[in-house]
Amino acid sequence: MFREGKSFSNHPFKILYLVAESGYAPLQSGFAVSKKNFKKAVDRNRIKRLIKEAYRLQKKALTGKLHHQKKFMTVFFIYTGNVLPKYEIVSEKIYVALHRLEKIADENISPNS
């Protein structure tokens, strides 16, 4: 995914994604927070928990669209900020990112679908 996938930024996130014709599940995801910016594991884990919760609550539309189109997508969220975020900000940014990924999934529809 890191080699062949594409990416976009939605500050404070960098989102990497890869759309495929086959896979294990319609939507797979991963999350990372830089050790360089957050030395304490407690802080990194808290940010990842916030991101995962916002993602869990909002991923249904994208998963449904991928399932309907018989497509598979792998997504990786990297938090690039250097301050501990509030949940509201994380939720808003994840919302924007998932809607952008929905548009990307629409663009990748093959003509014989």
Side-chain angles (χ1 to χ4, degrees), residues 2-60:
F2 290 99
R3 198 174 316 126
E4 299 171 14
K6 297 180 181 177
S7 68
F8 63 90
S9 291
N10 183 16
H11 187 74
F13 291 99
K14 180 174 182 180
I15 296 99
L16 291 95
Y17 65 93
L18 181 63
V19 180
E21 297 294 325
S22 63
Y24 177 72
L27 185 60
Q28 293 180 314
S29 59
F31 308 91
V33 178
S34 172
K35 190 173 184 178
K36 180 180 171 185
N37 293 337
F38 296 95
K39 303 292 185 206
K40 296 180 182 177
V42 172
D43 294 336
R44 292 192 304 275
N45 291 337
R46 171 145 179 86
I47 295 168
K48 284 189 275 188
R49 278 196 308 273
L50 293 175
I51 297 168
K52 287 176 187 178
E53 182 64 9
Y55 172 78
R56 181 186 71 83
L57 293 172
Q58 299 177 42
K59 70 179 180 176
K60 193 170 190 173

Side-chain angles (χ1 to χ4, degrees), residues 47-88:
I47 295 168
K48 284 189 275 188
R49 278 196 308 273
L50 293 175
I51 297 168
K52 287 176 187 178
E53 182 64 9
Y55 172 78
R56 181 186 71 83
L57 293 172
Q58 299 177 42
K59 70 179 180 176
K60 193 170 190 173
L62 179 58
T63 304
K65 184 171 287 211
L66 291 168
H67 184 72
H68 178 70
Q69 296 173 354
K70 294 181 175 59
K71 296 282 184 181
F72 298 87
M73 184 181 280
T74 305
V75 183
F76 200 81
F77 295 89
I78 302 172
Y79 183 78
T80 58
N82 54 9
V83 295
L84 283 170
K86 294 193 182 291
Y87 176 76
E88 293 78 21

